[in-house]
Amino acid sequence: MPALEIITIILFAVFAVYDYGKSHSGTRTTKEGPVIESTAELTCFLMSSVFQDVHVMIFIGFGFLMTFLKRYGFSSVGINLLLAAFGLQWGLLTQGIWHLDDGKIKVSIFKIINADFSTATVLISFGAVLGKTSPVQLLIMTILEITIFSINEHLVATVLEANDVGASMIIHAYGAYFGLAVARVLYRPGLRNGHENDGSVYHSDLFAMIGTVFLWMFWPSFNSAIADPGFTQLTAVINTYLSLAACVLSAYAISSLVEHKGKLDMVHIQNATLAGGVAVGTCADMNIGPFGAMLIGLVAGIISTLGFKYLTPILASNLGIQDTCGVHNLHGMPGILGGLAGIVAVALGKKEGGNAAMQAAALASSLGFALVGGAITGLIMKLPFWGQPPDQNCFDDSIYWEVPEEEEENEESLAHGDHSKNKAEV
Amino acid sequence: MPALEIITIILFAVFAVYDYGKSHSGTRTTKEGPVIESTAELTCFLMSSVFQDVHVMIFIGFGFLMTFLKRYGFSSVGINLLLAAFGLQWGLLTQGIWHLDDGKIKVSIFKIINADFSTATVLISFGAVLGKTSPVQLLIMTILEITIFSINEHLVATVLEANDVGASMIIHAYGAYFGLAVARVLYRPGLRNGHENDGSVYHSDLFAMIGTVFLWMFWPSFNSAIADPGFTQLTAVINTYLSLAACVLSAYAISSLVEHKGKLDMVHIQNATLAGGVAVGTCADMNIGPFGAMLIGLVAGIISTLGFKYLTPILASNLGIQDTCGVHNLHGMPGILGGLAGIVAVALGKKEGGNAAMQAAALASSLGFALVGGAITGLIMKLPFWGQPPDQNCFDDSIYWEVPEEEEENEESLAHGDHSKNKAEV
Amino acid sequence: MPALEIITIILFAVFAVYDYGKSHSGTRTTKEGPVIESTAELTCFLMSSVFQDVHVMIFIGFGFLMTFLKRYGFSSVGINLLLAAFGLQWGLLTQGIWHLDDGKIKVSIFKIINADFSTATVLISFGAVLGKTSPVQLLIMTILEITIFSINEHLVATVLEANDVGASMIIHAYGAYFGLAVARVLYRPGLRNGHENDGSVYHSDLFAMIGTVFLWMFWPSFNSAIADPGFTQLTAVINTYLSLAACVLSAYAISSLVEHKGKLDMVHIQNATLAGGVAVGTCADMNIGPFGAMLIGLVAGIISTLGFKYLTPILASNLGIQDTCGVHNLHGMPGILGGLAGIVAVALGKKEGGNAAMQAAALASSLGFALVGGAITGLIMKLPFWGQPPDQNCFDDSIYWEVPEEEEENEESLAHGDHSKNKAEV
């Protein structure tokens, strides 16, 4: 890990500069109250607020969403922080090399939003293998997944010129199928009958709802972050807002239909209520109308909930894909739905200058890179020297973390004087 | 629920369009970096950031504030999400029909802020009946309460032309007395002596503090969201900031004065510290001075804390009003205080063009619609086919949710192979 | 407490007015949709969004960061709210008297950001004495620490004209050494061998991670809040973003190097991952390059983690400084590192108009005021009539709060009818 960070910093030393190198030296030194002077400055300032919203989704949203496991909360939120913090540096580099200017990567507010975006792919894949991989394995996945992401992203955005403003295809579908391919390669027959720690307790489900609700709330910012500012951006906000709202209703309805005695299942509520944000991503800035956005959200909520109930068990038992968080249902199928909706919307002329064939090519490319890239990455991760945990230690923080003793045992440990927090170790 | 969402989507298909229909087709396709071109676009962009703050209050704030109950956290945050997600769609429709343009509801950033606002009334009323009503009952309440809200809102804002920028009257007082009227109609003699689940545990109180603090922090955005932009909006931010700060001090002081041995009560801290935000709402954009704002906050903290300590038990035992979250103390009395403060401030000329009589009429109207509307809604909710829970199942998630087993029982359940999360069900 | 708030309100009545007294009376009354008209209005609006981010750090960030203690969560988040709510009022006054205009303090969005900043010093010091001081003692500390802060801040910013945009010196180093001086004066020999409640449980560590992640995410807003708007502000955002990302990697690396069997320690992750935000503060708006920012973050993560592991126990056992949250490692040493980095950066010409000697004087002044001010404050807090808790009641909420009974005891308490929430007390 130290070597990795040192290499990264050296790469930054060589390649990275601020975007506004020249104008920076001319900073105003007047002290008569700050003033926004140019449109470019204003736009950057405005984007800072969007950036902070996206940042919340990456670190609180993804981090806490995965805390539902009863004994894996430290790893969920802690390794999420580690992977995202490394991934954003790596993403700045790998995305930056496609847009070198005088041989330099010019770091701007748009670049750091895109860097955050690139980490989202890794955090989605992390959900598929949650509890079954070591931090070192996951850092390897981060390096490879973001590198491949930036190739696919360049292909989709610059070569194919496809639309994917909210990244249904290039982040959600890509991240999900990449993770599922990794999970397939790392298949563990020993977990076929479940694992005692692969479940939640009451308060761990409430922690997970923090992640769910923050993702849900800020998704309009995510889907509109890189839209053309102004009315196009507002379209993305409104479409996402409405798609998510409709999705909540369908997720609740289907959850209570398929569950025993009409009860709701927390897994569905924590995840499927977000599928509308994923699925409306590609079309978010298109003129699909409030009605179109809601329809997409409604369908996304239905297929996501049904996927959790019926498809995930089949994938695990028949295809050997053990998908801890059910990312196939939250990001995979809704991501494909988003890609398909984008093809239809463009074909119907909802986006000026769009081309349905290019949209289809973008979806195919994203899935192709995900499956091939994920399989290769999985094979590398499977090499026996990355500290992969044995089956019995899966879903358990105590293999990687100092975990506080239970209440009852605590006094005993104090008598022995070991590692309580900040205590004077005399 | 599915039928409800489908009807809603059809209504959107018929009535809803984006606000900027014409200019939208002229979206810039240049790719040389995004630029904000017009003042109208800029204002919309700026409002997006305020919208996200309000959104956080609705979904995290209200949702987690109600998680204090030891066994009702799933319902608190989960049903809050359901009601708010449906309510915002319904609010867009019912508020929109008062402002049709060519027979269409034009969805803009202001409309979605107002839609979020309309859901707040329902979430306040939800607090009064928390733990004692079924999701279906609550969806009925959502439909009726938001419909009546939009009538009263139209009357207050457009007919009376009263000032209520932070909605002390039309949201807080209205939502509270609506909920109390419903609670009165649904009175349960069986809960007269309390209920074993009607209380908190240590960590449920901490979850509730997440809600409290997010509400507290973003209240300046809430009270300024629909103020005239610029200095008037900043007045609303500053007044709310100072009122809330003063309110915290008085809530703590009174809590420790009235409690046993000078201890603090978490119920007071979770709720009464917010009363200053409610009470300063109507006057928030008026020229009441920092001193005026703090005085309102100080008084609000006092009456709210005293209400929790002395009035809530009397309402329950003498008037048959069982107010689970004490919304009378957080939203009811402070809302009336806000309305009265608004009358005084307008009479003192603190708001150009204000009319004290119209302010008084607005307060009376809000209370009248709340009490009559709430009573009628309560009677409809009392019909015996909405699945209202029996007394013994009140305040218990397990009637509506699959709840994870306790730690000890868990191994046994695994042996029987039932519903642990995402496990391959072979 | 009531007296304190009443005095404060009277001071506001005498001194505080809105910043825009004259233009306020000319508020537009048109209702044809809101419009931002002037650059000054626009800048204020933009700052509101930054203000809300800083507000989140103060109330959620600091509040939840300290909830790691198993039985002190109510006090951590609750007293944090109390101190910050009072502190921001006091900070407005004490900072305001240095900038009187016609004998008045003109409250603007910049003033309330600075008021929030001034509370941060107290919340840092609170971390050093967490669990060992009464609310009254802490309110006294708040009054004195903010008063002294505003003297030092005036000296550093206006007299020395030193750069400290992200406040490594005047907030972090000052707050930390002030708190350590207080802790030294309040030394408790009885806690030399630890205390059974001075430790975490599993879920209390997860609550603390809420604080950590919110601080981590919004630090770019904190460090850029008072930077010159435009590109300089963006430099502060980008430098902070990169410093924090690098810091996470070094904190994780060092934590696993120094801990038993390569495990990670939650204390390090909760705290040392933030040191990069502290350390880059002074240089945040300087032209240090992405590489420079990351180097500062890398070093900060290393010294902070090593400090937690090796230095904190030595300070406690040899110097009698019992630093509950380890603020020396998160704010003290990284704050000094930030000050030193600032001297070097200014000497290298990274900030136009900067003066390295003035930077050094600013660091010395901040440390001097902290140590002397903290020692005097500690002596006042040590007076025997402020309700300081005895050793055995340290780190225990139940001395100041009504704490809910444990599950098992709860039914018994209900049989006796005492204080369950909102229950009708017939």
Side-chain angles (χ1 to χ4, degrees):
Chain A
M1 220 184 309
L4 192 60
E5 183 61 25
I6 287 163
I7 292 167
T8 305
I9 291 186
I10 292 169
L11 290 171
F12 268 82
V14 174
F15 287 113
V17 296
Y18 303 120
D19 188 24
Y20 31 82
K22 288 151 207 162
S23 63
H24 188 264
S25 57
T27 309
R28 286 141 295 134
T29 49
T30 77
K31 290 240 171 188
E32 54 194 9
V35 178
I36 297 282
E37 275 166 0
S38 74
T39 306
E41 280 185 319
L42 173 60
T43 304
C44 289
F45 199 123
L46 293 168
M47 296 307 293
S48 300
S49 132
V50 174
F51 155 68
Q52 289 284 185
D53 291 349
V54 171
H55 220 40
V56 172
M57 294 179 71
I58 297 295
F59 290 89
I60 281 284
F62 281 105
F64 277 89
L65 184 62
M66 294 187 278
T67 57
F68 71 95
L69 290 171
K70 67 178 88 159
R71 295 193 195 283
Y72 211 63
F74 288 10
S75 300
S76 296
V77 70
I79 297 180
N80 186 83
L81 174 61
L82 174 64
L83 300 184
F86 174 68
L88 63 88
Q89 299 173 56
W90 194 250
L92 265 172
L93 290 173
T94 57
Q95 292 189 74
I97 57 165
W98 295 101
H99 306 281
L100 289 180
D101 187 348
D102 286 335
K104 294 291 181 186
I105 297 168
K106 302 213 163 171
V107 182
S108 67
I109 196 88
F110 300 98
K111 290 267 174 54
I112 69 177
I113 290 176
N114 276 312
D116 265 33
F117 276 2
S118 72
T119 70
T121 62
V122 177
L123 305 178
I124 291 166
S125 302
F126 181 31
V129 298
L130 188 75
K132 300 170 300 195
T133 38
S134 72
V136 173
Q137 285 182 302
L138 292 166
L139 283 170
I140 292 166
M141 185 173 86
T142 303
I143 294 172
L144 295 173
E145 182 163 3
I146 288 180
T147 305
I148 300 168
F149 162 79
S150 67
I151 298 169
N152 183 54
E153 194 267 341
H154 181 73
L155 188 66
V156 167
T158 311
V159 179
L160 301 177
E161 293 189 352
N163 292 285
D164 197 16
V165 72
S168 304
M169 300 184 286
I170 64 173
I171 291 179
H172 295 287
Y174 171 81
Y177 288 99
F178 193 103
L180 294 168
V182 171
R184 179 66 193 83
V185 175
L186 301 182
Y187 176 62
R188 287 170 181 265
L191 300 183
R192 218 166 24 192
N193 298 314
H195 187 293
E196 61 166 323
N197 287 337
D198 184 10
S200 65
V201 291
Y202 194 73
H203 281 169
S204 71
D205 270 327
L206 278 179
F207 279 112
M209 283 301 286
I210 297 174
T212 299
V213 179
F214 272 102
L215 286 169
W216 197 91
M217 293 186 303
F218 287 127
W219 218 296
S221 286
F222 188 94
N223 278 356
S224 68
I226 58 167
D228 290 331
F231 292 131
T232 307
Q233 194 156 31
L234 287 165
T235 304
V237 169
I238 289 168
N239 283 338
T240 308
Y241 177 82
L242 290 172
S243 176
L244 282 163
C247 176
V248 168
L249 273 283
S250 62
Y252 272 82
I254 303 297
S255 182
S256 96
L257 278 176
V258 300
E259 285 298 316
H260 184 59
K261 292 191 190 167
K263 290 188 183 183
L264 298 162
D265 187 322
M266 257 293 172
V267 176
H268 306 161
I269 303 313
Q270 284 159 2
N271 292 281
T273 53
L274 301 168
V278 173
V280 84
T282 302
C283 305
D285 65 344
M286 299 184 190
N287 199 0
I288 55 173
F291 160 73
M294 293 168 80
L295 203 62
I296 290 172
L298 185 85
V299 174
I302 293 169
I303 63 169
S304 183
T305 312
L306 293 175
F308 275 103
K309 183 67 184 177
Y310 301 110
L311 198 53
T312 294
I314 292 173
L315 291 183
S317 57
N318 294 5
L319 299 183
I321 301 170
Q322 294 158 327
D323 177 6
T324 311
C325 295
V327 301
H328 186 240
N329 312 303
L330 171 47
H331 301 280
M333 293 190 295
I336 290 180
L337 174 63
L340 296 175
I343 296 169
V344 173
V346 164
L348 294 174
K350 301 298 187 190
K351 181 74 183 178
E352 230 174 283
N355 179 323
M358 291 299 116
Q359 293 296 123
L363 179 56
S365 167
S366 299
L367 294 176
F369 274 101
L371 291 170
V372 176
I376 294 168
T377 302
L379 287 170
I380 295 169
M381 290 167 72
K382 208 177 180 176
L383 296 175
F385 32 82
W386 309 124
Q388 179 170 303
D391 287 356
Q392 71 271 25
N393 294 118
C394 282
F395 312 111
D396 190 347
D397 278 332
S398 67
I399 188 169
Y400 302 119
W401 298 85
E402 305 279 357
V403 172
E405 296 83 10
E406 294 301 309
E407 286 289 86
E408 304 88 283
E409 302 161 18
N410 215 16
E411 284 164 40
E412 188 194 358
S413 85
L414 271 158
H416 294 79
D418 56 352
H419 67 268
S420 75
K421 257 168 217 267
N422 296 319
K423 196 176 50 190
E425 295 185 351
V426 273
Chain B
M1 221 183 311
L4 192 60
E5 183 61 25
I6 287 162
I7 292 167
T8 305
I9 292 186
I10 292 169
L11 290 171
F12 269 82
V14 175
F15 287 112
V17 296
Y18 303 119
D19 189 25
Y20 32 82
K22 288 150 207 163
S23 63
H24 188 264
S25 57
T27 309
R28 283 140 299 133
T29 48
T30 78
K31 291 240 171 189
E32 55 194 10
V35 178
I36 298 282
E37 276 166 0
S38 74
T39 306
E41 281 184 318
L42 172 61
T43 304
C44 289
F45 199 123
L46 294 169
M47 296 305 294
S48 299
S49 131
V50 174
F51 155 68
Q52 289 285 183
D53 291 351
V54 171
H55 220 40
V56 172
M57 294 179 72
I58 297 295
F59 290 89
I60 282 284
F62 281 105
F64 277 89
L65 184 62
M66 295 187 277
T67 57
F68 71 94
L69 290 171
K70 68 178 88 158
R71 295 192 195 284
Y72 210 64
F74 289 9
S75 300
S76 296
V77 70
I79 297 180
N80 187 83
L81 174 60
L82 174 65
L83 300 183
F86 175 67
L88 63 88
Q89 299 173 56
W90 195 250
L92 264 173
L93 291 172
T94 58
Q95 291 189 75
I97 58 166
W98 295 102
H99 306 280
L100 290 180
D101 186 347
D102 288 335
K104 295 290 182 188
I105 297 167
K106 301 211 163 170
V107 182
S108 68
I109 197 87
F110 300 97
K111 290 269 174 53
I112 70 177
I113 290 175
N114 275 311
D116 265 32
F117 275 2
S118 72
T119 70
T121 63
V122 177
L123 304 178
I124 292 166
S125 302
F126 180 31
V129 298
L130 188 75
K132 299 169 301 194
T133 39
S134 71
V136 174
Q137 286 181 302
L138 292 166
L139 283 170
I140 292 166
M141 186 173 87
T142 303
I143 294 172
L144 296 173
E145 183 164 2
I146 288 180
T147 306
I148 300 168
F149 162 79
S150 66
I151 298 169
N152 182 54
E153 195 266 341
H154 181 74
L155 188 66
V156 167
T158 312
V159 179
L160 301 177
E161 293 189 352
N163 291 288
D164 197 16
V165 72
S168 304
M169 300 184 287
I170 64 173
I171 291 179
H172 295 287
Y174 171 82
Y177 288 99
F178 193 103
L180 294 169
V182 171
R184 179 64 193 84
V185 174
L186 300 182
Y187 176 62
R188 289 170 181 264
L191 300 183
R192 220 166 20 193
N193 297 314
H195 187 292
E196 61 165 323
N197 287 337
D198 185 10
S200 64
V201 292
Y202 194 73
H203 281 169
S204 71
D205 270 326
L206 277 179
F207 279 112
M209 283 302 286
I210 297 173
T212 299
V213 179
F214 272 103
L215 285 169
W216 197 92
M217 293 186 303
F218 286 128
W219 218 296
S221 286
F222 188 94
N223 279 356
S224 69
I226 59 168
D228 291 331
F231 292 132
T232 308
Q233 195 156 29
L234 287 165
T235 305
V237 169
I238 290 167
N239 282 338
T240 307
Y241 176 83
L242 290 172
S243 175
L244 282 163
C247 177
V248 167
L249 274 282
S250 62
Y252 272 81
I254 303 298
S255 182
S256 94
L257 278 176
V258 300
E259 285 298 318
H260 185 59
K261 292 191 191 168
K263 290 187 182 182
L264 297 161
D265 187 322
M266 257 293 173
V267 176
H268 305 160
I269 303 313
Q270 284 159 2
N271 292 279
T273 52
L274 301 168
V278 173
V280 84
T282 302
C283 305
D285 65 343
M286 299 184 190
N287 199 0
I288 55 175
F291 161 73
M294 292 169 80
L295 204 62
I296 290 172
L298 185 85
V299 174
I302 294 169
I303 63 170
S304 183
T305 311
L306 293 176
F308 275 102
K309 183 68 184 176
Y310 301 110
L311 198 54
T312 294
I314 292 173
L315 291 182
S317 57
N318 294 4
L319 298 182
I321 300 170
Q322 294 158 328
D323 177 6
T324 311
C325 296
V327 301
H328 186 241
N329 311 304
L330 170 48
H331 302 280
M333 293 191 296
I336 291 180
L337 174 64
L340 296 174
I343 296 170
V344 172
V346 165
L348 294 174
K350 300 300 186 191
K351 181 77 184 178
E352 231 174 280
N355 179 323
M358 292 298 115
Q359 293 296 122
L363 180 56
S365 168
S366 299
L367 295 175
F369 274 101
L371 292 170
V372 175
I376 294 169
T377 301
L379 288 169
I380 294 170
M381 289 167 73
K382 207 177 181 177
L383 296 175
F385 33 82
W386 310 124
Q388 179 170 303
D391 287 356
Q392 71 270 24
N393 296 116
C394 281
F395 312 110
D396 189 347
D397 278 332
S398 66
I399 188 170
Y400 302 119
W401 299 84
E402 306 279 358
V403 172
E405 295 85 7
E406 295 300 309
E407 286 288 86
E408 305 88 284
E409 301 161 17
N410 216 15
E411 284 164 41
E412 188 194 359
S413 86
L414 271 159
H416 294 79
D418 56 352
H419 65 266
S420 75
K421 255 166 220 266
N422 296 319
K423 195 175 51 189
E425 296 185 352
V426 273
Chain C
M1 223 183 309
L4 192 61
E5 182 62 24
I6 288 163
I7 292 167
T8 305
I9 292 186
I10 292 170
L11 290 171
F12 268 82
V14 174
F15 287 113
V17 296
Y18 303 120
D19 188 24
Y20 32 83
K22 287 151 207 162
S23 63
H24 188 264
S25 57
T27 310
R28 284 141 296 134
T29 49
T30 78
K31 291 241 171 189
E32 54 194 12
V35 179
I36 298 282
E37 275 166 0
S38 73
T39 306
E41 280 184 318
L42 173 60
T43 304
C44 289
F45 199 122
L46 293 169
M47 296 305 294
S48 299
S49 132
V50 174
F51 155 67
Q52 288 285 183
D53 291 350
V54 171
H55 220 39
V56 171
M57 293 179 72
I58 298 295
F59 290 88
I60 282 285
F62 282 105
F64 277 89
L65 184 62
M66 294 186 278
T67 57
F68 71 94
L69 290 171
K70 68 178 88 157
R71 296 192 194 283
Y72 210 64
F74 289 9
S75 300
S76 296
V77 69
I79 297 180
N80 186 82
L81 174 61
L82 174 65
L83 300 184
F86 174 68
L88 62 89
Q89 300 172 56
W90 195 250
L92 265 172
L93 291 172
T94 57
Q95 292 189 75
I97 56 166
W98 296 102
H99 306 280
L100 290 180
D101 186 348
D102 287 336
K104 294 291 182 186
I105 297 167
K106 302 212 162 170
V107 182
S108 67
I109 197 86
F110 299 97
K111 290 269 174 55
I112 69 177
I113 289 175
N114 275 313
D116 266 32
F117 275 2
S118 72
T119 70
T121 62
V122 177
L123 304 179
I124 291 165
S125 302
F126 181 31
V129 298
L130 188 76
K132 299 169 299 194
T133 39
S134 72
V136 174
Q137 285 181 302
L138 292 166
L139 283 170
I140 292 166
M141 186 174 85
T142 304
I143 294 172
L144 296 173
E145 182 163 2
I146 288 180
T147 306
I148 300 167
F149 162 79
S150 65
I151 297 168
N152 182 55
E153 194 267 340
H154 181 73
L155 188 66
V156 167
T158 312
V159 179
L160 302 177
E161 294 189 351
N163 292 287
D164 196 16
V165 73
S168 304
M169 300 183 286
I170 65 173
I171 291 180
H172 294 287
Y174 171 81
Y177 289 98
F178 193 103
L180 294 168
V182 171
R184 179 64 194 83
V185 174
L186 300 182
Y187 175 62
R188 288 169 181 266
L191 300 183
R192 219 166 20 193
N193 298 315
H195 187 291
E196 61 166 323
N197 287 336
D198 185 10
S200 65
V201 290
Y202 193 73
H203 281 169
S204 72
D205 269 327
L206 277 179
F207 279 112
M209 283 301 287
I210 297 173
T212 299
V213 179
F214 272 102
L215 286 170
W216 197 91
M217 293 186 302
F218 287 127
W219 217 296
S221 287
F222 189 93
N223 278 357
S224 68
I226 58 167
D228 290 332
F231 291 132
T232 308
Q233 194 155 30
L234 288 164
T235 304
V237 169
I238 288 168
N239 282 338
T240 308
Y241 176 83
L242 290 172
S243 176
L244 282 163
C247 176
V248 167
L249 274 282
S250 61
Y252 272 82
I254 303 298
S255 182
S256 96
L257 278 177
V258 300
E259 284 298 317
H260 183 59
K261 292 191 191 168
K263 290 188 183 184
L264 298 162
D265 187 321
M266 257 294 171
V267 176
H268 306 162
I269 304 311
Q270 284 158 3
N271 292 282
T273 53
L274 300 168
V278 173
V280 83
T282 301
C283 304
D285 65 343
M286 299 183 190
N287 200 0
I288 54 173
F291 161 73
M294 292 169 80
L295 203 63
I296 290 173
L298 185 86
V299 174
I302 293 169
I303 63 169
S304 183
T305 311
L306 293 175
F308 275 102
K309 183 68 185 176
Y310 300 110
L311 197 53
T312 293
I314 293 172
L315 291 183
S317 56
N318 295 5
L319 299 182
I321 300 171
Q322 294 159 328
D323 176 6
T324 311
C325 296
V327 301
H328 186 241
N329 311 304
L330 170 48
H331 302 280
M333 292 190 295
I336 291 180
L337 174 64
L340 296 175
I343 297 170
V344 172
V346 165
L348 294 174
K350 301 298 187 191
K351 181 76 183 176
E352 232 174 279
N355 178 322
M358 292 298 117
Q359 294 296 123
L363 179 56
S365 168
S366 299
L367 294 175
F369 274 101
L371 292 170
V372 176
I376 295 169
T377 301
L379 288 169
I380 294 170
M381 289 168 73
K382 208 177 180 177
L383 296 175
F385 32 81
W386 309 124
Q388 179 170 304
D391 287 356
Q392 71 271 25
N393 295 118
C394 282
F395 312 110
D396 189 344
D397 278 332
S398 66
I399 189 170
Y400 302 119
W401 298 85
E402 305 279 357
V403 173
E405 296 82 10
E406 295 300 308
E407 286 288 86
E408 305 87 283
E409 301 161 17
N410 214 14
E411 284 164 41
E412 188 194 358
S413 86
L414 271 158
H416 294 78
D418 57 351
H419 67 268
S420 75
K421 255 167 219 266
N422 296 319
K423 195 176 53 190
E425 296 185 352
V426 275

